[in-house]
């Protein structure tokens, strides 16, 4: 195979994906065997989290990628990113000048997969259900600006908002706003297990072993009516939890047709330089990684301790040693490609400096070395996470100002412990709910934030976030957004580390793979088809 780099047509707002591949047909096509997709995401139902796929509960990129195939939303992010477009809705828009009243009209003859009609009352039920159940650290925070939901007839839904929210159309494109039926979902209780019923492009059949979903089979929904064009009849998603190598072997053998998150840096490098019948597709990514702080914990309660860590950590070295070309240093919670981004941490701290860090600690009368444990999850963000935390430990300890140890735990243990405040410092990743600066700030800094951070800044919560949401033009909102980022760099309740790229690897008879993952890490399985090998 002759490998080449193909730059696809430019997409709205971001660079186009780059495809290192042989030539193949773009025709796609239905029929034939199921297209099989591998992922290292783990899907478990436990006593503490028995309802992983309930739209009112699910709030991670893996479970959302299942819901996006099966549960329809009023709005959807378009193929090439940009402003959200109507999906279950025929049209949507603000009906006032203050961005506080948002109305949608449903498509005609909209149906659930079982053939029952989807009505405005189902939309009202779904939104109110998520708000009523209100899971701690859950996705209902995205709907926090909703005051009341009104219906007019079977097709019109009107959202009355508590405050202006120019980002609300984006929020209606997320699974927490997914439309479900009161016949399948209780109004005040989560639905346990791995069953999902909706009106999306696919129906779901789950294969479960020992409380863990090992295979999700998506079959084209014959009753689907929406904006998406479904280019296949069936897709299987197979889970290779914490086993990127096994997923890669399955692709090499032809047991799967495509693999997505998360590949190791070594796999990406190998596929970039190899020839064969597997195509590696690189695309812009909006994933970020950061350290979170329990600012109530005595070890990091002093701001100077957190500032000193920000002054010492060498992001460029971290990225180079662990992720290579697959990531870039990040100096704000907001990625560099998002409108409103500011390099606030670099502006405040500049290049890494042990001397400056020592001065910060000395002025605050902090005794050194400061003893800390950095916690990370072993099975949620890829196997390179352990290597990342080894580098962070070495950097901090080499300064002589810190005595750092690291400790890993599986996600099912790590996430509840983080939410309960058991960790003083911990590593997390963020895949955006939608590509707007607000979604990198409000989920962590507003009231009832997703991490349960004890840090609270009244100026951010009461003035700056509301100010930014009043501006439909996000460039105009940049002043408020920049001020928020500057405050975060000064107080350091979170410490951004890096921004990642995204990769898909697919056998070269699979078409549409370059569109199968958008900038928010949303799998768009409906884009996949089978063509002719190059």
């Amino acid at each position: 195979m002759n490998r080449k780099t193909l730059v696809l047509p430019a997409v709205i707002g971001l660079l186009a994906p780059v495809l290192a591949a042989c030539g193949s047909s773009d025709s796609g096509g239905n029929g034939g065997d199921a297209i099989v997709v591998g992922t290292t995401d783990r899907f478990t139902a436990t006593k503490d989290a028995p309802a992983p796929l309930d739209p009112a509960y699910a709030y991670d990129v893996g479970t959302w990628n299942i819901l996006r195939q099966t549960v329809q939303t009023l709005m959807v992010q378009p193929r090439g990113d940009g402003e959200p477009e109507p999906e279950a809705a025929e049209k949507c828009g603000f009906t006032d000048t203050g961005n506080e009243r948002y109305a949608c009209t449903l498509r005609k003859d909209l149906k659930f997969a079982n053939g029952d009609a989807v009505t405005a009352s189902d939309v009202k039920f779904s939104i109110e259900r998520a708000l009523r159940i209100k899971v701690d650290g859950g996705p209902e925070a995205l709907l926090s600006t909703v005051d009341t939901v009104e219906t007019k007839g079977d097709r019109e839904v009107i959202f009355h908002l508590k405050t202006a929210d120019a980002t609300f159309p984006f929020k209606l494109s997320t699974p927490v706003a997914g439309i479900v039926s009161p016949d399948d979902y209780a109004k005040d209780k989560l639905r346990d297990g791995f069953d999902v019923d909706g009106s999306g492009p696919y129906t779901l059949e789950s294969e479960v072993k020992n409380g863990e979903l090992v295979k999700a089979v998506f079959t084209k929904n014959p009753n689907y009516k929406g904006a998406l064009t479904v280019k296949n009849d069936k897709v299987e998603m197979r889970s290779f939890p914490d086993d990127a190598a096994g997923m890669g072997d399955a692709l090499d053998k032809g047991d799967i047709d495509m693999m997505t998150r998360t590949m190791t840096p070594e796999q990406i490098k190998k596929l970039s330089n190899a020839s064969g019948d597997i195509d590696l597709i690189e695309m812009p990514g909006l994933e970020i990684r950061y350290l979170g702080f329990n600012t109530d914990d005595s070890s990091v309660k002093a701001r100077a301790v957190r500032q000193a860590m920000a002054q010492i950590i060498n992001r460029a070295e971290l990225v180079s040693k662990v992720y290579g070309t697959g990531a870039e240093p990040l100096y704000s919670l907001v990625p560099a490609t998002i409108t409103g981004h500011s390099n606030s941490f670099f502006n405040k701290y500049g290049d890494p400096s042990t001397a400056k860090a020592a001065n910060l600690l000395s002025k605050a009368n902090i005794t050194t070395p400061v003893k800390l444990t950095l916690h990370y999850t072993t099975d949620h963000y890829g196997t390179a996470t352990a290597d990342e935390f080894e580098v962070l430990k070495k950097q901090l300890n080499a300064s002589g100002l810190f005595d750092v140890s690291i400790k890993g735990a599986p996600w099912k243990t790590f996430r509840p412990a983080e939410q309960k405040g058991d960790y003083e410092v911990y590593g997390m990743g963020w895949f955006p709910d939608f590509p707007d600066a607000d979604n990198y700030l409000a989920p962590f800094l507003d009231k009832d934030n997703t991490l349960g951070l004890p840090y609270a800044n009244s100026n951010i919560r009461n003035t700056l976030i509301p100010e930014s949401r009043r501006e439909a033009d996000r460039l105009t909102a940049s002043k408020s957004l920049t001020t928020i980022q500057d405050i975060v760099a000064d107080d350091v309740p979170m410490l951004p580390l890096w921004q990642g790229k995204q990769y898909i690897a697919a056998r070269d008879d699979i078409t549409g793979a370059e569109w199968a993952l958008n900038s928010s890490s949303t799998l768009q399985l409906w884009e996949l088809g089978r063509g002719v090998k190059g």
Side-chain angles (χ1 to χ4, degrees):
M1 177 182 74
N2 295 321
R3 299 187 70 83
K4 63 183 180 180
T5 299
L6 172 65
V7 179
L8 300 170
V11 297
I12 299 171
L14 291 170
L15 298 176
V18 176
L19 173 64
C22 71
S24 63
S25 166
D26 291 331
S27 61
N30 294 332
D33 297 333
I35 296 170
V36 185
V37 175
T39 177
T40 59
D41 286 327
R42 169 171 266 148
F43 310 95
T44 58
T46 66
K47 181 179 179 181
D48 292 332
L53 296 184
D54 191 309
Y57 177 85
Y59 201 20
D60 65 77
V61 67
T63 53
W64 269 24
N65 276 335
I66 290 179
L67 292 175
R68 288 186 190 275
Q69 320 306 315
T70 51
V71 178
Q72 200 173 17
T73 49
L74 290 170
M75 303 290 285
V76 69
Q77 292 180 43
R79 187 192 208 201
D81 290 302
E83 296 296 316
E85 299 174 347
E87 212 292 71
E90 181 180 274
K91 61 180 181 179
C92 285
F94 285 105
T95 60
D96 65 338
T97 57
N99 294 335
E100 294 182 357
R101 187 179 188 274
Y102 195 80
C104 293
T105 302
L106 296 180
R107 293 177 183 271
K108 292 181 180 179
D109 302 320
L110 205 64
K111 295 179 180 179
F112 287 108
N114 65 5
D116 291 346
V118 176
T119 67
S121 65
D122 294 314
V123 177
K124 176 180 169 69
F125 167 81
S126 302
I127 298 295
E128 292 178 343
R129 176 179 183 269
L131 289 170
R132 183 183 298 110
I133 292 176
K134 194 176 183 179
V135 176
D136 286 343
E140 80 286 339
L142 289 167
L143 305 174
S144 63
T145 57
V146 174
D147 186 13
T148 60
V149 185
E150 176 188 358
T151 62
K152 289 187 177 180
D154 286 339
R155 294 179 56 210
E156 189 173 358
V157 186
I158 303 167
F159 298 92
H160 299 277
L161 307 182
K162 300 173 186 175
T163 59
D165 188 359
T167 67
F168 191 65
F170 281 108
K171 295 170 181 177
L172 289 182
S173 73
T174 63
V176 69
I179 306 168
V180 297
S181 170
D183 292 337
D184 299 313
Y185 292 80
K187 69 177 182 178
D188 54 5
K189 182 182 177 183
L190 292 172
R191 181 177 180 178
D192 293 354
F194 294 97
D195 291 332
V196 180
D197 290 284
S199 56
Y202 296 98
T203 59
L204 171 68
E205 182 179 347
S206 301
E207 182 178 319
V208 180
K209 293 182 180 178
N210 300 320
E212 188 164 339
L213 187 149
V214 295
K215 182 194 295 185
V217 180
F218 300 101
T219 302
K220 187 176 180 180
N221 175 11
N223 288 318
Y224 171 69
K225 293 181 184 294
L228 307 174
T229 300
V230 184
K231 300 177 180 178
N232 56 69
D233 290 330
K234 183 178 288 188
V235 179
E236 290 183 9
M237 181 188 292
R238 296 183 186 173
S239 176
F240 295 81
D242 201 25
D243 188 15
M247 180 172 66
D249 290 343
L251 184 66
D252 288 339
K253 295 175 184 176
D255 293 338
I256 63 176
D257 299 299
M258 187 180 92
M259 66 178 181
T260 178
R261 62 179 305 269
T262 305
M263 288 178 262
T264 66
E266 293 76 19
Q267 285 176 315
I268 293 167
K269 183 177 181 180
K270 178 181 176 181
L271 287 166
S272 296
N273 298 322
S275 61
D277 59 356
I278 295 172
D279 307 334
L280 179 70
I281 305 159
E282 176 189 308
M283 59 199 71
L286 297 179
E287 170 193 4
I288 69 168
R289 295 287 175 85
Y290 60 89
L291 295 178
F293 294 93
N294 177 1
T295 54
D296 281 347
D297 190 282
S298 59
S299 60
V300 292
K301 190 170 187 176
R303 182 174 62 168
V305 171
R306 308 191 301 270
Q307 290 178 328
M309 291 177 68
Q311 186 66 75
I312 290 169
I313 288 174
N314 187 327
R315 295 166 175 81
E317 180 186 63
L318 173 67
V319 167
S320 175
K321 285 188 174 181
V322 181
Y323 296 101
T325 60
E328 297 176 348
L330 182 63
Y331 297 93
S332 170
L333 291 177
V334 179
T337 46
I338 293 287
T339 300
H341 162 82
S342 174
N343 281 320
S344 297
F345 273 79
F346 188 83
N347 295 340
K348 181 170 180 63
Y349 300 99
D351 293 326
S353 170
T354 296
K356 289 181 180 179
N359 188 47
L360 286 166
L361 293 171
S362 176
K363 283 185 176 181
N365 297 315
I366 304 295
T367 302
T368 59
V370 179
K371 189 175 180 64
L372 293 174
T373 300
L374 307 187
H375 297 263
Y376 66 93
T377 175
T378 57
D379 61 353
H380 195 66
Y381 299 121
T383 55
T385 305
D387 296 332
E388 176 180 346
F389 274 73
E390 284 287 351
V391 172
L392 289 171
K393 180 180 76 170
K394 289 178 181 178
Q395 288 183 354
L396 290 165
N397 288 346
S399 72
L401 301 174
F402 288 90
D403 178 9
V404 169
S405 59
I406 59 176
K407 187 174 183 179
W411 182 252
K412 65 181 181 181
T413 303
F414 175 89
R415 178 61 166 146
E418 174 270 313
Q419 288 180 308
K420 288 188 292 184
D422 292 347
Y423 302 150
E424 65 263 53
V425 189
Y426 50 90
M428 290 283 284
W430 183 250
F431 298 83
D433 307 318
F434 51 88
D436 186 274
D438 178 90
N439 195 238
Y440 290 89
L441 300 172
F444 310 116
L445 304 172
D446 212 348
K447 185 180 178 181
D448 298 326
N449 62 79
T450 187
L451 293 179
L453 288 174
Y455 172 79
N457 183 289
S458 60
N459 188 26
I460 290 176
R461 291 185 178 182
N462 301 330
T463 303
L464 296 170
I465 289 176
E467 275 183 358
S468 71
R469 287 175 173 172
R470 281 196 287 269
E471 302 295 344
D473 182 347
R474 304 312 283 160
L475 275 174
T476 307
S478 292
K479 182 178 179 181
S480 300
L481 296 169
T482 297
T483 302
I484 295 172
Q485 292 167 79
D486 289 345
I487 292 171
V488 170
D490 192 42
D491 288 348
V492 200
M494 302 167 67
L495 202 167
L497 297 172
W498 55 264
Q499 172 181 350
K501 298 177 183 178
Q502 297 187 117
Y503 296 89
I504 279 179
R507 305 195 70 82
D508 64 7
D509 63 333
I510 298 300
T511 62
E514 65 270 28
W515 300 111
L517 197 67
N518 74 8
S519 66
S520 299
S521 301
T522 297
L523 270 179
Q524 302 174 139
L525 297 179
W526 52 84
E527 294 284 359
L528 300 176
R530 288 194 185 274
V532 180
K533 285 182 180 287

